[in-house]
Amino acid sequence: MKLSAKAGILSLLSVFIYGTADSAVAKDVEKKAATKPVAKQSVEKKTNAKNSTDPWWKHAVIYEIYPRSFADADNNGMGDIKGITQKLDYLKDLGVDALWITPCFPSPQVDFGYDISDYCDIAPEYGTLADFDELVAEAKKRNIRIIMDLVMNHSSDKHKWFEESRSSRTNPKRNWFVWRDPKSGPLPKNSSGAEDPKSPPNNWQALFGHSAWQWDPKTNQYYYHFFYPEQPDLNWRNGQVKKAMNDVARFWLDRGVAGFRLDAINTLYEVPSLKDNPVKPGKNAYGDPNMDDKYNYLLLPEIKGTMRDLRKVLNNYQDNPVLLGETTAERIEQLIAAYGKNNDEIQLPMDFRFAYINKLSASEFRNKIAEIDENEVGGQPTYVFSNHDIVRHYNRYGDGKNNDQIAKLTAAILLTTRGTPVMYYGEELGMENRDPERKEDVKDPIGILGWPEQKGRDGCRTPMQWNAAKNAGFSTANPWLPVAHNYKTHNVELEDKDPASILSFYKQLLSVRKKNTALKYGKYVALNEDDEHVLSYLRKRGGAAALVACNMTDQPRKVTLDLSKSGITVSEAKVLMASYSAPDSISASSFTLPPYAVLIADVGKSAN
Ligand code: BGC
């Protein structure tokens, strides 16, 4: 599938489902910080002697949690912070190193947390700052770090910054958001042929439907919103905004978080000229004309300076805090650019290209891996298959018959390629998507607006499947979304007991990945580059080498290898793990893989 200009959430939505501190801000941040003594993250020197300079995130696996759906400690049908804390032992046992928690800040919940009305607190429905501090502390005991979601592009229209901004044209915060007069000159005609006196400044459309400009009658101007009207865009050309957001980052870093996932980072800036976007033929799911959003959705150079400044904020903290970017890129060069020329911008720009392939093609995967693995700035690949905006990859890659086997195959690719993988809660179980069947059941507003073509994102946000009891053990109350249909067969309790389950496979992978030197530190070496059916590669470091072979087809496939070209002389490969019942050792030059099977074997010097 070709990437559209609006990759990441953007194409994912449309394709698959769819200066000086402002003293008031500074005071607000200080006041909140004072609710608890600052708990600076201490440096944890749990490093390998050979790689003592590697930051923790270089060998970490990040696990995304959608807090509303993960674990419900107070049994009100909605997940919460205490729920996450209660499940830390599960996450430790699974083997993940950091949790990225999607927004859990106070919010009117129009976009389920991505519309933030206070950046420096916890939403009451999810708990308190004290609950959050407890989560950080308990996670730390288990060597798990917490990454927060930083939504820099927009706030909620209920944030006091916006409420002040919209109160008058002369308010000191007016310029914190993007306000414009109606279009002047010849006005466009409305549907009844009359001129529209309040015509928006240009033809830009919001990603979530209709004009990106919202008329505000109080001050007779429009404000700009790339997403919902309830999510006004912050004006990043105003230095005070940057300062305020950096203060927000400090607030959470002071509380011990290990970094931030940067939301919708490509939309921070718009072209100052506000040029109309070119209109394309046809209409989208919201009934709007299709458009090439080339002037409001592009990687303007200003983003780079903003990222470097944010990195500097992080660099003042111990333990290498990390930036994990929602970096949507049309071209590989754009993704690589996100690291910064000196690798001084986003350490982990998420690579969504696995999420777009959607077919088991050895050559496509091989090409995508090579393109990013060989990036000239030495940036760390950050692969993603699923998240809270897209149909779960269990469904996208599954063929309806071999989904469990395919889920193991994709897990092996995610967790054995070189990089920092990002998992999505429940993928370790083979949780499936459950799209709403009726418009009246839809919770995600884009699903309501775009029904039935656009069903929204509810389907990938269903409750975590803890057991086979009612509501999958997520809550005794009716959950905010119904659980996915496969919870009776795909849940933690059941899969934990089954050595052949997807969960057991993930656990084994995560453990092998940690223990095996080649898988942990080794470079990636593609093998059999002309093989269209089997994706094979080595991870190699000095005398240590691991072989990974993935049969991407529904037929048995013979794999013939000449490892001598890579300096490997062993004749026998010692099987580390496999998704089928493989013998303990196999020939390192020839073996057959059953359909959709994966083999991971030691072919290092010590293997024979
Ligand atoms: C998030 C979405 C959200 C949007 C607006 C995206 O990047 O992943 O869930 O709706 O930003 O904040």
Side-chain angles (χ1 to χ4, degrees):
M1 178 184 309
K2 202 174 165 298
L3 289 190
S4 83
K6 294 182 193 174
I9 172 190
L10 314 170
S11 74
L12 297 169
L13 285 172
S14 56
V15 174
F16 301 129
I17 46 172
Y18 81 65
T20 50
D22 177 278
S23 57
V25 175
K27 271 193 205 125
D28 187 47
V29 170
E30 272 164 30
K31 204 172 84 204
K32 295 264 173 57
T35 59
K36 183 179 184 277
V38 164
K40 295 244 189 229
Q41 185 119 322
S42 66
V43 192
E44 210 166 324
K45 290 275 175 222
K46 254 207 140 192
T47 44
N48 178 293
K50 290 179 203 150
N51 288 64
S52 54
T53 54
D54 280 352
W56 64 270
W57 47 261
K58 228 166 177 171
H59 307 295
V61 174
I62 298 173
Y63 183 94
E64 178 190 351
I65 288 185
Y66 199 69
R68 212 176 178 81
S69 297
F70 190 65
D72 181 12
D74 61 2
N75 279 308
N76 67 351
M78 230 190 307
D80 41 48
I81 300 290
K82 274 187 187 299
I84 302 173
T85 308
Q86 287 171 4
K87 298 296 182 186
L88 284 171
D89 285 336
Y90 165 74
L91 295 161
K92 172 81 193 155
D93 188 43
L94 175 63
V96 297
D97 306 284
L99 310 178
W100 149 32
I101 303 178
T102 62
C104 49
F105 316 104
S107 159
Q109 304 288 348
V110 172
D111 192 14
F112 296 105
Y114 281 97
D115 48 322
I116 296 171
S117 53
D118 183 347
Y119 286 90
C120 297
D121 207 344
I122 294 293
E125 59 269 44
Y126 294 151
T128 61
L129 274 173
D131 294 338
F132 178 78
D133 292 334
E134 188 195 7
L135 168 65
V136 174
E138 287 299 316
K140 191 171 176 189
K141 286 186 196 160
R142 294 160 178 85
N143 203 21
I144 294 178
R145 290 170 169 82
I146 305 294
I147 295 174
M148 293 302 258
D149 214 311
L150 197 60
V151 184
M152 302 165 75
N153 178 68
H154 49 269
S155 70
S156 157
D157 63 344
K158 298 293 179 296
H159 194 293
K160 63 183 179 207
W161 296 344
F162 187 71
E163 285 179 341
E164 285 178 43
S165 181
R166 84 189 314 179
S167 65
S168 85
R169 287 198 187 201
T170 53
N171 185 280
K173 293 241 167 34
R174 184 66 172 181
N175 199 28
W176 280 45
F177 293 84
V178 183
W179 290 97
R180 289 292 182 279
D181 286 332
K183 196 175 202 151
S184 57
L187 296 171
K189 307 261 168 48
N190 64 22
S191 48
S192 42
E195 279 190 342
D196 182 0
K198 301 193 308 296
S199 175
N202 65 20
N203 72 352
W204 294 355
Q205 280 168 11
L207 179 68
F208 290 164
H210 307 334
S211 173
W213 296 96
Q214 180 74 16
W215 179 248
D216 202 46
K218 177 142 201 248
T219 54
N220 283 334
Q221 274 194 319
Y222 281 94
Y223 68 84
Y224 175 68
H225 57 93
F226 186 80
F227 297 95
Y228 293 122
E230 293 86 349
Q231 294 168 301
D233 271 45
L234 282 153
N235 175 13
W236 277 86
R237 296 185 190 280
N238 179 339
Q240 291 183 336
V241 167
K242 193 186 263 192
K243 176 71 187 71
M245 203 54 84
N246 287 349
D247 284 346
V248 168
R250 285 189 196 96
F251 173 85
W252 292 105
L253 289 163
D254 285 344
R255 287 200 110 84
V257 310
F260 302 98
R261 177 265 188 181
L262 303 174
D263 183 63
I265 210 64
N266 293 359
T267 60
L268 286 197
Y269 292 88
E270 303 78 42
V271 285
S273 67
L274 302 189
K275 265 171 105 153
D276 271 358
N277 280 325
V279 178
K280 299 197 297 195
K283 297 214 161 161
N284 65 19
Y286 312 114
D288 303 321
N290 286 327
M291 230 170 241
D292 175 359
D293 299 326
K294 61 191 284 192
Y295 297 120
N296 61 333
Y297 181 72
L298 74 177
L299 297 153
L300 286 176
E302 289 91 329
I303 295 176
K304 304 187 74 57
T306 305
M307 291 299 105
R308 279 196 294 273
D309 289 348
L310 184 58
R311 254 301 271 285
K312 283 184 201 144
V313 171
L314 268 70
N315 289 347
N316 280 326
Y317 286 78
Q318 295 181 320
D319 199 29
N320 298 301
V322 74
L323 295 176
L324 172 70
E326 192 193 17
T327 35
T328 49
E330 189 174 348
R331 297 191 314 274
I332 182 67
E333 302 79 57
Q334 293 170 327
L335 181 63
I336 293 172
Y339 295 107
K341 270 202 193 112
N342 302 313
N343 212 337
D344 55 354
E345 295 176 25
I346 301 176
Q347 295 105 317
L348 301 176
M350 281 189 267
D351 182 347
F352 295 100
R353 294 168 314 144
F354 281 5
Y356 308 141
I357 300 173
N358 283 321
K359 64 175 189 234
L360 293 172
S361 156
S363 45
E364 285 226 37
F365 272 87
R366 197 177 292 122
N367 292 342
K368 299 269 179 294
I369 295 168
E371 278 179 342
I372 193 71
D373 194 77
E374 289 160 13
N375 75 79
E376 64 278 9
V377 294
Q380 175 85 339
T382 307
Y383 302 114
V384 178
F385 272 110
S386 282
N387 72 17
H388 64 282
D389 290 324
I390 60 183
V391 170
R392 284 180 177 273
H393 74 267
Y394 183 79
N395 297 75
R396 295 200 328 266
Y397 278 93
D399 65 353
K401 279 189 283 186
N402 302 285
N403 286 24
D404 286 10
Q405 196 63 3
I406 293 171
K408 292 177 186 172
L409 182 90
T410 47
I413 298 173
L414 183 71
L415 297 173
T416 64
T417 37
R418 189 183 72 82
T420 301
V422 184
M423 290 171 57
Y424 183 47
Y425 81 94
E427 77 172 59
E428 74 275 22
L429 306 174
M431 258 176 77
E432 65 182 3
N433 232 71
R434 179 178 179 174
D435 277 341
E437 273 142 37
R438 308 175 314 167
K439 185 175 175 183
E440 52 269 42
D441 298 330
V442 180
K443 296 280 192 309
D444 184 8
I446 54 171
I448 301 170
L449 190 67
W451 189 269
E453 197 183 317
Q454 167 64 273
K455 292 195 164 67
R457 297 162 289 179
D458 296 353
C460 60
R461 298 172 174 179
T462 60
M464 175 72 172
Q465 297 169 189
W466 294 105
N467 57 43
K470 194 168 177 235
N471 304 329
F474 165 74
S475 182
T476 52
N478 253 356
W480 77 286
L481 284 176
V483 297
H485 294 298
N486 70 349
Y487 77 98
K488 288 217 162 122
T489 50
H490 292 69
N491 63 60
V492 173
E493 195 175 277
L494 209 74
E495 291 192 46
D496 234 353
K497 293 184 206 134
D498 175 5
S501 68
I502 300 176
L503 177 60
S504 298
F505 192 74
Y506 264 88
K507 278 192 191 176
Q508 204 185 346
L509 266 174
L510 284 157
S511 152
V512 168
R513 178 191 154 88
K514 263 199 187 95
K515 290 187 198 135
N516 184 280
T517 305
L519 288 177
K520 189 164 181 182
Y521 303 111
K523 65 175 186 193
Y524 166 88
V525 183
L527 298 171
N528 288 5
E529 295 189 60
D530 295 329
D531 191 331
E532 287 169 25
H533 306 300
V534 180
L535 176 72
S536 311
Y537 47 90
L538 289 174
R539 298 287 310 282
K540 195 169 176 303
R541 178 191 168 111
L547 164 71
V548 181
C550 311
N551 179 358
M552 318 276 274
T553 73
D554 61 359
Q555 299 298 314
R557 299 282 170 192
K558 184 163 181 201
V559 182
T560 309
L561 295 165
D562 178 3
L563 297 179
S564 64
K565 286 192 267 178
S566 309
I568 288 173
T569 49
V570 296
S571 53
E572 293 277 296
K574 199 168 113 200
V575 176
L576 294 168
M577 63 179 288
S579 63
Y580 62 102
S581 55
D584 289 347
S585 71
I586 52 160
S587 154
S589 55
S590 169
F591 52 89
T592 298
L593 287 174
Y596 299 121
V598 182
L599 170 90
I600 304 171
D602 186 350
V603 288
K605 279 205 173 114
S606 55
N608 287 172

